[in-house]
Amino acid sequence: MNEKKFLQFLESVDDAYLLETERALTRKKAKLGLGRKAASLIAAVLVLTLTVSATYVATHWDERFLKIFKPSEAVMEQTAAGVQNLSVMSQCGDTTLYVEQSLGDETTIYFMLDVMLPDTVSAAEYAVPNENGDGYIPTIMPWDLHVYDCPASYADVCGMTMDETVSLLEKHGAEYCGSIGVQTECVDLQTNTLSYLVEVGMNDEQVDARLKTLTLAFAGLGDYTSNEMILEGPFLISWNVENHGDVYHYDIYEGNRQVGKIMLSGFSLQVSLESSTYTECDALMDDVRIVYRDGKKEAPDGTCSGSIILPEGRVKLEWRFHEIQVMDQIESVEIAGYTCKTALKNPK
């Protein structure tokens, strides 16, 4: 993905403030000169192609992703480069890990981690009915997850402790520590398989570095309520990353002094201020709004984490959206008196 930098002038910000914006672009369009009849014919074909493509993309999303994210046609079109079909398997002793598909961009990657248990462990013992009563969810989860940007295989760590595994992986690559989230998803009693939705979030420095290889390592499967390890690892799975999408970067300036940053994608929003009068993260959360082109102005809808350093008031917030945002529908982001206009899809 090539990056283009440009200055953007704002219409609704005091003259004392400038936003230097930077946008990561993933697509380029070639301009063709066509006659009217040819253009009309191609337009008709494009309408048909787009309709077929949307259906094609939907049928090629993991059905669990469809259930979780409920993507609109606009979302599916936007995330066409964000869906990666993998079919990666890692045989870790008598336990098998699978990742069929990943979804995301340079800021966030989601994938379904399927863990086929050995014959000596029954998935039924660690399953409870889900809230809809139409299936089961696991009662045990992966422990002590780590994500690295280097290739690796289970053969590299077989027989090691988790500490030894971490030390080995750190020699070959950097650990991605923006955020890692795990959610219990479903249990397949017939195949003795537990499934988890894993979310890996990158901070702004990691986005610039661009994750190319993802290696997930974890200590085992455990019961957090009893603090008991049920199935001991370590376990490991690795693949090359090819999830891409539009990412908007904003450097916020007060005069000649940079005072903060904003990073926005369809999956996440990150806001940081170098110094402020805020004394708690919740107060800044209340001052952040997304303004949509249809006139709506709403607080970000997602899971938010934050940190603050006092007395400087250095604060950082990070949202993972519950629903994938359509970037073309966003007009601006408002934060603590600053208005951040988003760039057009294909600026001239």
Side-chain angles (χ1 to χ4, degrees), residues 27 60 69 212 261 270 310 332 343:
R27 295 183 294 276
H60 286 75
F69 293 103
K212 295 180 177 63
K261 292 182 179 181
Q270 292 185 28
L310 298 175
S332 61

Side-chain angles (χ1 to χ4, degrees), residues 264-298:
L264 173 68
S265 83
F267 292 89
S268 68
L269 170 65
Q270 292 185 28
V271 172
S272 62
L273 295 176
E274 294 301 318
S275 63
S276 70
T277 58
Y278 290 100
T279 58
E280 56 182 21
C281 293
D282 288 350
L284 180 56
M285 289 181 195
D286 293 338
D287 286 344
V288 177
R289 292 291 182 273
I290 296 177
V291 182
Y292 294 90
R293 296 191 188 280
D294 63 3
K296 291 188 301 183
K297 182 187 294 188
E298 299 177 349

Side-chain angles (χ1 to χ4, degrees), residues 169-328:
L169 293 174
E170 285 179 345
K171 291 179 181 178
H172 297 285
E175 180 171 8
Y176 270 65
C177 54
S179 65
I180 304 175
V182 183
Q183 176 180 308
T184 55
E185 196 55 38
C186 59
V187 176
D188 188 330
L189 298 179
Q190 291 186 336
T191 61
N192 208 35
T193 300
L194 310 178
S195 297
Y196 306 91
L197 176 66
V198 181
E199 170 199 291
V200 178
M202 275 65 88
N203 58 37
D204 48 1
E205 292 85 4
Q206 293 168 342
V207 169
D208 291 337
R210 293 177 195 154
L211 184 62
K212 295 180 177 63
T213 303
L214 189 154
T215 294
L216 174 72
F218 58 100
L221 295 175
D223 186 341
Y224 280 88
T225 58
S226 65
N227 202 32
E228 178 186 3
M229 181 74 82
I230 305 300
L231 191 62
E232 191 167 358
F235 300 117
L236 183 149
I237 191 166
S238 180
W239 65 88
N240 294 328
V241 174
E242 295 180 2
N243 307 95
H244 302 292
D246 292 331
V247 181
Y248 297 82
H249 298 265
Y250 301 87
D251 292 332
I252 307 174
Y253 285 86
E254 183 175 339
N256 293 323
R257 184 171 65 92
Q258 184 177 334
V259 297
K261 292 182 179 181
I262 290 177
M263 184 170 68
L264 173 68
S265 83
F267 292 89
S268 68
L269 170 65
Q270 292 185 28
V271 172
S272 62
L273 295 176
E274 294 301 318
S275 63
S276 70
T277 58
Y278 290 100
T279 58
E280 56 182 21
C281 293
D282 288 350
L284 180 56
M285 289 181 195
D286 293 338
D287 286 344
V288 177
R289 292 291 182 273
I290 296 177
V291 182
Y292 294 90
R293 296 191 188 280
D294 63 3
K296 291 188 301 183
K297 182 187 294 188
E298 299 177 349
D301 180 23
T303 303
C304 184
S305 59
S307 62
I308 189 167
I309 299 175
L310 298 175
E312 298 92 341
R314 184 182 302 169
V315 59
K316 181 174 182 178
L317 301 178
E318 181 178 349
W319 282 269
R320 301 291 164 192
F321 296 132
H322 290 149
E323 294 184 4
I324 302 170
Q325 299 290 297
V326 179
M327 300 291 278
D328 279 345

Side-chain angles (χ1 to χ4, degrees), residues 2-300:
N2 297 322
E3 292 192 357
K4 294 183 180 178
K5 296 183 179 180
F6 58 93
L7 290 178
Q8 181 180 14
F9 296 95
L10 303 179
E11 300 174 351
S12 54
V13 169
D14 189 274
D15 290 340
Y17 303 97
L18 280 178
L19 288 176
E20 183 182 88
T21 68
E22 175 181 341
R23 180 173 179 212
L25 299 176
T26 59
R27 295 183 294 276
K28 293 183 179 178
K29 291 188 176 180
K31 294 184 178 179
L32 300 175
L34 298 170
R36 243 180 226 180
K37 291 184 179 179
S40 299
L41 178 60
I42 290 177
V45 173
L46 283 176
V47 170
L48 177 61
T49 302
L50 286 174
T51 303
V52 173
S53 296
T55 305
Y56 176 86
V57 172
T59 58
H60 286 75
W61 273 49
D62 187 306
E63 62 180 12
R64 294 170 295 184
F65 281 154
L66 288 171
K67 182 178 180 182
I68 293 167
F69 293 103
K70 300 178 177 61
S72 64
E73 186 172 327
V75 165
M76 288 188 290
E77 182 181 351
Q78 176 181 285
T79 57
V83 178
Q84 182 183 5
N85 293 315
L86 293 162
S87 297
V88 177
M89 182 187 75
S90 178
Q91 190 67 47
C92 305
D94 53 5
T95 301
T96 308
L97 308 185
Y98 295 95
V99 176
E100 291 293 331
Q101 189 179 89
S102 63
L103 171 67
D105 57 19
E106 284 75 8
T107 72
T108 311
I109 297 175
Y110 291 94
F111 56 91
M112 205 69 62
L113 175 67
D114 297 322
V115 182
M116 181 181 287
L117 303 175
D119 294 338
T120 54
V121 181
S122 172
E125 295 181 27
Y126 306 103
V128 295
N130 62 25
E131 58 182 12
N132 297 323
D134 58 357
Y136 299 88
I137 58 173
T139 60
I140 57 177
M141 296 182 69
W143 273 12
D144 193 19
L145 283 85
H146 297 258
V147 172
Y148 294 87
D149 65 352
C150 60
S153 68
Y154 178 71
D156 299 327
V157 303
C158 181
M160 291 185 177
T161 66
M162 189 58 190
D163 288 341
E164 291 170 339
T165 297
V166 168
S167 296
L168 176 67
L169 293 174
E170 285 179 345
K171 291 179 181 178
H172 297 285
E175 180 171 8
Y176 270 65
C177 54
S179 65
I180 304 175
V182 183
Q183 176 180 308
T184 55
E185 196 55 38
C186 59
V187 176
D188 188 330
L189 298 179
Q190 291 186 336
T191 61
N192 208 35
T193 300
L194 310 178
S195 297
Y196 306 91
L197 176 66
V198 181
E199 170 199 291
V200 178
M202 275 65 88
N203 58 37
D204 48 1
E205 292 85 4
Q206 293 168 342
V207 169
D208 291 337
R210 293 177 195 154
L211 184 62
K212 295 180 177 63
T213 303
L214 189 154
T215 294
L216 174 72
F218 58 100
L221 295 175
D223 186 341
Y224 280 88
T225 58
S226 65
N227 202 32
E228 178 186 3
M229 181 74 82
I230 305 300
L231 191 62
E232 191 167 358
F235 300 117
L236 183 149
I237 191 166
S238 180
W239 65 88
N240 294 328
V241 174
E242 295 180 2
N243 307 95
H244 302 292
D246 292 331
V247 181
Y248 297 82
H249 298 265
Y250 301 87
D251 292 332
I252 307 174
Y253 285 86
E254 183 175 339
N256 293 323
R257 184 171 65 92
Q258 184 177 334
V259 297
K261 292 182 179 181
I262 290 177
M263 184 170 68
L264 173 68
S265 83
F267 292 89
S268 68
L269 170 65
Q270 292 185 28
V271 172
S272 62
L273 295 176
E274 294 301 318
S275 63
S276 70
T277 58
Y278 290 100
T279 58
E280 56 182 21
C281 293
D282 288 350
L284 180 56
M285 289 181 195
D286 293 338
D287 286 344
V288 177
R289 292 291 182 273
I290 296 177
V291 182
Y292 294 90
R293 296 191 188 280
D294 63 3
K296 291 188 301 183
K297 182 187 294 188
E298 299 177 349

